[in-house]
Amino acid sequence: MVECFNQIGKDSDCNAIVLCAAGKTFTAGLDLAEAQDMFISDSELDAARKAFYFRDLIKRYQETFSVIEKCTKPVIAAIHSGCIGGGVDMVTACDIRYCSQDAWFEIKEVDIGIAADVGTLQRLPKIVGNDSLVRELVYTGRRFTADEAKSFGLVSSVLPDRDAVLASALQTAALIASKSPVAVQGSKVNLIYSRDHPVSESLDYMANWNMSMFQTEDVLKAVVAFMSKGKEAANFSKL
């Protein structure tokens, strides 16, 4: 995942990304049988060395999903059926989330004896804005439906089925890709910065960002296209 998004992030032919799944479910959660060895470090190591081992392991898994957020291209999650455990961590790192009517979600880590450690606890509260609900979902591990996910803002659209979700996600991606990449990617960078910093610091960061971005050719191209009232589409250079 890290290599993939790092490569896409540098691809000037790509202006938006759709993240979808080919299987029956979006994600099936952790395979406990396969992961058994992962949780068993060398028994001869002392507690401190085991702790360093697990910390490194967790940090690597965190980066697997943080790389989605760090990618300056907008990422749209097209979710169908089950989105379990790490799937929730993954989609909370995306910019936009659509799902099918049959989609369902579970923050499952509590049921395997651990706290979710790769992004859900850090990102979901800021997406949803309902502390009580987030704690309920995290502490109980209960399943919640597509309609509930939309009601509290985890997803912005619920479509009839998987094909409709993918089609809608691709349509949105195409619309985003038609905009100035300087404007879109600058917006993503500043939205994430603003989420994690006070308003005053975020405004300063925005001013410093746009003092150079105002000089882009994209501004003139966008204005000309707007003034043509749809007769002339802006042709933005690659970024």
Side-chain angles (χ1 to χ4, degrees):
M1 185 82 83
V2 173
E3 183 180 351
C4 173
F5 274 92
N6 283 338
Q7 184 174 343
I8 292 173
K10 297 174 183 176
D11 187 349
S12 61
D13 289 321
C14 173
N15 288 329
I17 302 160
V18 174
L19 182 61
C20 61
K24 292 182 179 180
T25 61
F26 186 74
T27 58
L30 183 67
D31 185 333
L32 294 178
E34 185 176 320
Q36 207 169 22
D37 292 340
M38 179 180 69
F39 291 107
I40 303 174
S41 60
D42 192 333
S43 59
E44 294 182 2
L45 294 177
D46 67 13
R49 284 164 178 78
K50 287 180 182 179
F52 274 100
Y53 164 81
F54 282 120
R55 184 181 189 279
D56 178 68
L57 183 68
I58 293 166
K59 293 293 288 184
R60 283 188 281 120
Y61 276 115
Q62 288 174 344
E63 183 61 20
T64 299
F65 298 135
S66 291
V67 71
I68 299 172
E69 187 174 84
K70 291 176 182 177
C71 177
T72 57
K73 317 292 175 68
V75 181
I76 304 168
I79 307 159
H80 73 279
S81 189
C83 180
I84 308 165
V88 179
D89 293 298
M90 180 163 61
V91 301
T92 56
C94 295
D95 296 272
I96 299 168
R97 291 163 293 276
Y98 296 162
C99 75
S100 59
Q101 188 65 61
D102 71 344
W104 50 275
F105 305 80
E106 284 182 347
I107 303 169
K108 199 68 175 170
E109 285 82 353
V110 69
D111 287 333
I112 59 172
I114 61 172
D117 56 4
V118 290
T120 292
L121 302 188
Q122 292 70 37
R123 296 187 176 100
L124 186 61
K126 295 178 180 180
I127 292 169
V128 173
N130 184 331
D131 183 72
S132 175
L133 178 61
V134 169
R135 289 170 187 268
E136 175 193 333
L137 297 175
V138 169
Y139 298 162
T140 65
R142 74 165 175 83
R143 180 178 299 195
F144 56 98
T145 65
D147 288 335
E148 187 176 1
K150 187 174 188 298
S151 73
F152 59 69
L154 177 59
V155 301
S156 53
S157 186
V158 177
L159 288 304
D161 53 38
R162 173 183 171 184
D163 290 341
V165 173
L166 184 55
S168 183
L170 289 170
Q171 183 178 27
T172 300
L175 180 58
I176 292 170
S178 72
K179 310 296 183 181
S180 159
V182 172
V184 171
Q185 293 181 43
S187 295
K188 175 169 180 174
V189 169
N190 279 275
L191 280 168
I192 292 172
Y193 186 92
S194 297
R195 180 197 65 189
D196 299 332
H197 296 80
V199 172
S200 59
E201 288 183 23
S202 300
L203 287 171
D204 283 341
Y205 189 85
M206 186 77 252
N208 291 333
W209 183 275
N210 264 0
M211 70 182 186
S212 53
M213 296 305 155
F214 273 166
Q215 302 174 62
T216 176
E217 63 181 21
D218 291 18
V219 173
L220 180 59
K221 288 182 178 181
V223 170
V224 170
F226 179 79
M227 295 298 290
S228 74
K229 298 182 179 179
K231 295 178 182 178
E232 183 179 338
N235 182 22
F236 299 110
S237 301
K238 295 179 181 180
L239 179 62

